[in-house]
Amino acid sequence: MRMGVLGSGMTAQAISARLAELGHDVVIGTRDADKLRGWQSSNQRVLIGTLAETAAHGEMVFNATDGAGSLNALSMAGEENLADKILVDVSNPLDFADGFPPSLTVFGKDSLAEQIQRAFPMTRVVKTLNTVTARVMTHPLEVADGDHHVFISANDVEAKSQVVDLLRSFGWTNIFDLGDLSTARGAEAYALLWVRLYGAMNTGMFNIKIMR
Ligand SMILES: NC(=O)c1ccc[n+]([C@@H]2O[C@H](COP(=O)([O-])OP(=O)(O)OC[C@H]3O[C@@H](n4cnc5c(N)ncnc54)[C@H](OP(=O)(O)O)[C@@H]3O)[C@@H](O)[C@H]2O)c1
């Protein structure tokens, strides 16, 4: 499948590499291609594009940009290039303006996922993977043999189902369907707890499991 991954950081790189490994045709998108030249030399199956080229290429597009810049990045990607496509939003609206620990740029009665959906009404936004570090997103079996949960939220049930299939191809077996996109409020707010757990354990290689 043609995949577009918006972002140049560790998350975009991890997702792009994994998608290419799984046989997808991947373009990774940034405002500054030079940032990715070194990485691409060892990931030659992934091509580098502008944000607009990357969104145009993808049948499915990932938002792996800094949450505070995501709306700008998506607007540079272009509404027309994102229309009718699934946008897998893995971002967190973390606000580091006052340093560590971060706060959120949006919370409570709204979420970044919902802001994106309102700004791009023709796009099928699916929130997932934002509650784990990049390596766990793409290689869930490396933590507790995969015995932990990832969450998924979307208004579009069919889009959600396609992303569930993709998550399974990454190795995810426990995929917790939270419901519509408003449920991303909780998944995004969890990032505040995640950074504290990271601080306490000094590793991002962990996740949570829902038990009852
Ligand atoms: N790191 C993780 O393990 C992890 C885990 C869960 C969720 N996430 C989420 O995944 C996203 C990416 O995280 P990351 O750590 O890989 O990288 P990051 O440093 O949070 O984001 C870097 C990317 O954001 C883009 N960006 C920043 N400000 C922008 C703006 N104003 N307009 C357009 N683009 C802008 C940069 O674009 P250029 O390349 O053009 O400079 C770059 O591609 C974040 O939302 C993060 O919260 C990350």
Side-chain angles (χ1 to χ4, degrees):
M1 188 173 185
R2 289 198 316 276
M3 297 285 191
V5 181
L6 303 172
S8 61
M10 63 184 282
T11 311
Q13 292 177 12
I15 291 171
S16 297
R18 185 73 165 132
L19 291 170
E21 181 183 69
L22 292 169
H24 297 287
D25 171 7
V26 187
V27 175
I28 186 169
T30 173
R31 296 169 297 180
D32 178 6
D34 287 342
K35 280 186 182 175
L36 286 167
R37 300 272 181 233
W39 174 82
Q40 197 213 18
S41 63
S42 49
N43 291 272
Q44 293 182 358
R45 280 184 294 179
V46 179
L47 299 181
I48 305 173
T50 64
L51 294 170
E53 287 166 348
T54 301
H57 170 82
E59 295 168 278
M60 185 182 286
V61 181
F62 285 73
N63 174 37
T65 61
D66 173 64
S70 287
L71 285 168
N72 184 54
L74 291 166
S75 132
M76 291 178 73
E79 190 171 3
E80 67 287 3
N81 293 324
L82 294 166
D84 302 322
K85 294 181 180 173
I86 294 174
L87 181 72
V88 184
D89 176 32
V90 309
S91 69
N92 278 312
L94 291 174
D95 180 356
F96 285 98
D98 296 323
F100 190 90
S103 58
L104 299 174
T105 59
V106 53
F107 59 94
K109 295 181 180 175
D110 204 359
S111 62
L112 179 55
E114 291 168 282
Q115 289 182 337
I116 292 171
Q117 185 65 84
R118 286 198 300 277
F120 299 89
M122 301 302 291
T123 301
R124 308 157 78 193
V125 179
V126 179
K127 187 95 197 184
T128 190
L129 293 174
N130 64 301
T131 54
V132 291
T133 197
R135 180 73 190 176
V136 180
M137 291 182 189
T138 54
H139 295 81
L141 300 179
E142 291 182 7
V143 170
D145 293 328
D147 189 20
H148 49 88
H149 280 88
V150 69
F151 302 102
I152 190 164
S153 309
N155 295 337
D156 185 321
V157 172
E158 210 276 320
K160 193 190 285 180
S161 163
Q162 284 192 47
V163 176
V164 164
D165 289 344
L166 186 78
L167 292 174
R168 290 198 191 289
S169 75
F170 283 2
W172 285 97
T173 51
N174 298 337
I175 302 166
F176 196 110
D177 186 348
L178 286 171
D180 69 23
L181 207 54
S182 72
T183 63
R185 296 172 196 177
E188 291 181 3
Y190 169 76
L192 296 181
L193 176 58
W194 188 94
V195 295
R196 296 305 188 128
L197 291 167
Y198 175 85
M201 293 190 281
N202 207 23
T203 176
M205 291 302 290
F206 65 87
N207 193 15
I208 56 172
K209 178 180 178 180
I210 307 303
M211 303 177 75
R212 58 178 169 181

Short mmCIF file of all heavy atoms in Angstrom, two decimals, residues 149-179:
data_model
loop_
_atom_site.label_atom_id
_atom_site.label_comp_id
_atom_site.label_asym_id
_atom_site.label_seq_id
_atom_site.Cartn_x
_atom_site.Cartn_y
_atom_site.Cartn_z
N HIS A 149 -1.86 -3.31 25.93
CA HIS A 149 -2.91 -2.75 25.07
C HIS A 149 -2.50 -1.48 24.32
O HIS A 149 -1.77 -0.65 24.85
CB HIS A 149 -4.16 -2.43 25.89
CG HIS A 149 -5.01 -3.62 26.19
ND1 HIS A 149 -4.82 -4.42 27.29
CD2 HIS A 149 -6.05 -4.17 25.50
CE1 HIS A 149 -5.71 -5.40 27.29
NE2 HIS A 149 -6.47 -5.28 26.21
N VAL A 150 -3.05 -1.37 23.13
CA VAL A 150 -3.02 -0.10 22.41
C VAL A 150 -4.47 0.34 22.23
O VAL A 150 -5.38 -0.50 22.13
CB VAL A 150 -2.29 -0.23 21.05
CG1 VAL A 150 -3.07 -1.09 20.06
CG2 VAL A 150 -1.99 1.15 20.46
N PHE A 151 -4.69 1.64 22.22
CA PHE A 151 -6.06 2.18 22.11
C PHE A 151 -6.30 2.69 20.69
O PHE A 151 -5.37 3.08 19.99
CB PHE A 151 -6.25 3.31 23.13
CG PHE A 151 -6.00 2.86 24.54
CD1 PHE A 151 -4.81 3.15 25.18
CD2 PHE A 151 -6.95 2.09 25.21
CE1 PHE A 151 -4.56 2.70 26.47
CE2 PHE A 151 -6.71 1.65 26.50
CZ PHE A 151 -5.52 1.95 27.14
N ILE A 152 -7.57 2.73 20.33
CA ILE A 152 -7.91 3.28 19.01
C ILE A 152 -9.23 4.04 19.13
O ILE A 152 -10.16 3.58 19.82
CB ILE A 152 -7.94 2.15 17.94
CG1 ILE A 152 -8.07 2.74 16.54
CG2 ILE A 152 -9.03 1.13 18.22
CD1 ILE A 152 -7.71 1.75 15.43
N SER A 153 -9.28 5.20 18.49
CA SER A 153 -10.46 6.06 18.52
C SER A 153 -10.71 6.60 17.11
O SER A 153 -9.75 7.04 16.45
CB SER A 153 -10.23 7.28 19.42
OG SER A 153 -9.77 6.92 20.69
N ALA A 154 -11.94 6.59 16.67
CA ALA A 154 -12.27 7.16 15.36
C ALA A 154 -13.78 7.27 15.22
O ALA A 154 -14.52 6.47 15.80
CB ALA A 154 -11.70 6.32 14.22
N ASN A 155 -14.19 8.24 14.42
CA ASN A 155 -15.62 8.35 14.10
C ASN A 155 -16.00 7.40 12.97
O ASN A 155 -17.13 6.94 12.89
CB ASN A 155 -15.96 9.78 13.69
CG ASN A 155 -15.77 10.76 14.83
OD1 ASN A 155 -15.80 10.37 16.01
ND2 ASN A 155 -15.56 12.03 14.51
N ASP A 156 -15.03 7.15 12.08
CA ASP A 156 -15.27 6.35 10.87
C ASP A 156 -14.94 4.89 11.18
O ASP A 156 -13.76 4.51 11.30
CB ASP A 156 -14.38 6.91 9.75
CG ASP A 156 -14.63 6.24 8.41
OD1 ASP A 156 -14.84 5.00 8.38
OD2 ASP A 156 -14.58 6.94 7.39
N VAL A 157 -15.97 4.08 11.30
CA VAL A 157 -15.79 2.68 11.73
C VAL A 157 -14.97 1.88 10.72
O VAL A 157 -14.13 1.05 11.08
CB VAL A 157 -17.18 2.04 11.96
CG1 VAL A 157 -17.07 0.55 12.22
CG2 VAL A 157 -17.88 2.74 13.11
N GLU A 158 -15.19 2.16 9.45
CA GLU A 158 -14.47 1.40 8.41
C GLU A 158 -12.99 1.77 8.41
O GLU A 158 -12.10 0.91 8.29
CB GLU A 158 -15.11 1.71 7.04
CG GLU A 158 -15.02 0.56 6.05
CD GLU A 158 -13.68 0.57 5.32
OE1 GLU A 158 -13.19 1.65 4.96
OE2 GLU A 158 -13.14 -0.52 5.11
N ALA A 159 -12.70 3.05 8.61
CA ALA A 159 -11.30 3.49 8.69
C ALA A 159 -10.63 2.85 9.90
O ALA A 159 -9.48 2.38 9.82
CB ALA A 159 -11.25 5.02 8.79
N LYS A 160 -11.36 2.81 10.99
CA LYS A 160 -10.81 2.20 12.21
C LYS A 160 -10.46 0.74 11.95
O LYS A 160 -9.40 0.25 12.34
CB LYS A 160 -11.85 2.33 13.33
CG LYS A 160 -11.31 2.03 14.71
CD LYS A 160 -12.42 1.93 15.74
CE LYS A 160 -12.99 3.25 16.14
NZ LYS A 160 -14.09 3.12 17.14
N SER A 161 -11.33 0.04 11.26
CA SER A 161 -11.10 -1.37 10.97
C SER A 161 -9.85 -1.56 10.11
O SER A 161 -9.05 -2.48 10.34
CB SER A 161 -12.35 -1.91 10.27
OG SER A 161 -12.08 -3.08 9.65
N GLN A 162 -9.63 -0.68 9.15
CA GLN A 162 -8.41 -0.79 8.32
C GLN A 162 -7.16 -0.55 9.16
O GLN A 162 -6.13 -1.20 8.96
CB GLN A 162 -8.46 0.23 7.18
CG GLN A 162 -9.39 -0.15 6.06
CD GLN A 162 -9.18 0.74 4.84
OE1 GLN A 162 -8.07 0.99 4.40
NE2 GLN A 162 -10.28 1.24 4.30
N VAL A 163 -7.25 0.38 10.11
CA VAL A 163 -6.07 0.66 10.95
C VAL A 163 -5.84 -0.49 11.93
O VAL A 163 -4.70 -0.84 12.22
CB VAL A 163 -6.23 2.02 11.66
CG1 VAL A 163 -5.06 2.28 12.60
CG2 VAL A 163 -6.33 3.14 10.63
N VAL A 164 -6.92 -1.11 12.40
CA VAL A 164 -6.75 -2.30 13.24
C VAL A 164 -5.95 -3.37 12.49
O VAL A 164 -5.03 -3.98 13.03
CB VAL A 164 -8.13 -2.86 13.70
CG1 VAL A 164 -8.00 -4.27 14.24
CG2 VAL A 164 -8.73 -1.94 14.76
N ASP A 165 -6.27 -3.57 11.22
CA ASP A 165 -5.53 -4.56 10.42
C ASP A 165 -4.06 -4.18 10.34
O ASP A 165 -3.18 -5.05 10.44
CB ASP A 165 -6.11 -4.65 8.99
CG ASP A 165 -7.47 -5.33 8.99
OD1 ASP A 165 -7.82 -5.99 9.98
OD2 ASP A 165 -8.19 -5.18 7.98
N LEU A 166 -3.80 -2.90 10.16
CA LEU A 166 -2.40 -2.46 10.08
C LEU A 166 -1.69 -2.69 11.42
O LEU A 166 -0.55 -3.16 11.47
CB LEU A 166 -2.34 -0.98 9.70
CG LEU A 166 -0.91 -0.50 9.48
CD1 LEU A 166 -0.41 -0.93 8.10
CD2 LEU A 166 -0.80 0.99 9.62
N LEU A 167 -2.38 -2.38 12.53
CA LEU A 167 -1.78 -2.60 13.85
C LEU A 167 -1.46 -4.08 14.05
O LEU A 167 -0.41 -4.44 14.59
CB LEU A 167 -2.73 -2.11 14.95
CG LEU A 167 -2.95 -0.59 15.02
CD1 LEU A 167 -4.03 -0.27 16.06
CD2 LEU A 167 -1.66 0.15 15.35
N ARG A 168 -2.34 -4.94 13.59
CA ARG A 168 -2.09 -6.38 13.72
C ARG A 168 -0.83 -6.75 12.93
O ARG A 168 -0.03 -7.59 13.38
CB ARG A 168 -3.28 -7.19 13.22
CG ARG A 168 -4.50 -7.07 14.12
CD ARG A 168 -5.52 -8.19 13.88
NE ARG A 168 -6.78 -7.92 14.55
CZ ARG A 168 -6.97 -7.95 15.86
NH1 ARG A 168 -5.97 -8.24 16.67
NH2 ARG A 168 -8.15 -7.67 16.37
N SER A 169 -0.63 -6.12 11.79
CA SER A 169 0.57 -6.44 11.00
C SER A 169 1.84 -5.99 11.71
O SER A 169 2.91 -6.54 11.50
CB SER A 169 0.48 -5.82 9.59
OG SER A 169 0.71 -4.42 9.62
N PHE A 170 1.74 -4.98 12.59
CA PHE A 170 2.88 -4.56 13.41
C PHE A 170 3.15 -5.57 14.53
O PHE A 170 4.21 -5.55 15.13
CB PHE A 170 2.62 -3.20 14.06
CG PHE A 170 2.77 -2.00 13.14
CD1 PHE A 170 3.08 -2.13 11.81
CD2 PHE A 170 2.60 -0.72 13.65
CE1 PHE A 170 3.22 -1.01 10.98
CE2 PHE A 170 2.75 0.40 12.84
CZ PHE A 170 3.05 0.26 11.50
N GLY A 171 2.14 -6.38 14.86
CA GLY A 171 2.28 -7.35 15.94
C GLY A 171 1.32 -7.13 17.10
O GLY A 171 1.34 -7.89 18.07
N TRP A 172 0.48 -6.10 17.00
CA TRP A 172 -0.46 -5.83 18.09
C TRP A 172 -1.57 -6.89 18.12
O TRP A 172 -2.18 -7.19 17.09
CB TRP A 172 -1.10 -4.45 17.94
CG TRP A 172 -0.16 -3.34 18.30
CD1 TRP A 172 0.61 -2.59 17.44
CD2 TRP A 172 0.15 -2.86 19.62
NE1 TRP A 172 1.37 -1.69 18.14
CE2 TRP A 172 1.11 -1.83 19.48
CE3 TRP A 172 -0.29 -3.21 20.89
CZ2 TRP A 172 1.63 -1.14 20.58
CZ3 TRP A 172 0.23 -2.53 21.99
CH2 TRP A 172 1.17 -1.51 21.83
N THR A 173 -1.84 -7.42 19.29
CA THR A 173 -2.95 -8.36 19.44
C THR A 173 -4.05 -7.79 20.33
O THR A 173 -5.22 -8.11 20.15
CB THR A 173 -2.45 -9.70 20.02
OG1 THR A 173 -1.69 -9.43 21.19
CG2 THR A 173 -1.60 -10.45 19.02
N ASN A 174 -3.67 -6.95 21.30
CA ASN A 174 -4.65 -6.36 22.21
C ASN A 174 -4.93 -4.92 21.79
O ASN A 174 -4.18 -4.00 22.14
CB ASN A 174 -4.13 -6.37 23.65
CG ASN A 174 -3.89 -7.78 24.16
OD1 ASN A 174 -4.49 -8.73 23.66
ND2 ASN A 174 -3.04 -7.92 25.14
N ILE A 175 -5.98 -4.75 21.01
CA ILE A 175 -6.33 -3.42 20.47
C ILE A 175 -7.66 -3.02 21.09
O ILE A 175 -8.69 -3.65 20.84
CB ILE A 175 -6.40 -3.48 18.93
CG1 ILE A 175 -5.06 -3.95 18.36
CG2 ILE A 175 -6.79 -2.11 18.37
CD1 ILE A 175 -5.10 -4.36 16.90
N PHE A 176 -7.62 -1.99 21.93
CA PHE A 176 -8.79 -1.60 22.72
C PHE A 176 -9.52 -0.47 21.99
O PHE A 176 -9.01 0.65 21.88
CB PHE A 176 -8.33 -1.14 24.11
CG PHE A 176 -9.44 -1.08 25.12
CD1 PHE A 176 -9.49 -1.99 26.17
CD2 PHE A 176 -10.44 -0.12 25.03
CE1 PHE A 176 -10.52 -1.95 27.11
CE2 PHE A 176 -11.47 -0.07 25.95
CZ PHE A 176 -11.51 -0.98 27.00
N ASP A 177 -10.71 -0.78 21.49
CA ASP A 177 -11.51 0.22 20.77
C ASP A 177 -12.23 1.10 21.79
O ASP A 177 -13.19 0.67 22.44
CB ASP A 177 -12.52 -0.51 19.87
CG ASP A 177 -13.29 0.46 18.98
OD1 ASP A 177 -13.23 1.68 19.22
OD2 ASP A 177 -13.97 -0.03 18.05
N LEU A 178 -11.75 2.33 21.92
CA LEU A 178 -12.32 3.25 22.90
C LEU A 178 -13.65 3.84 22.42
O LEU A 178 -14.47 4.26 23.23
CB LEU A 178 -11.35 4.40 23.18
CG LEU A 178 -10.12 4.07 24.04
CD1 LEU A 178 -9.15 5.25 24.03
CD2 LEU A 178 -10.52 3.72 25.46
N GLY A 179 -13.84 3.92 21.09
CA GLY A 179 -15.08 4.48 20.57
C GLY A 179 -14.79 5.61 19.60
O GLY A 179 -13.83 5.54 18.82
#
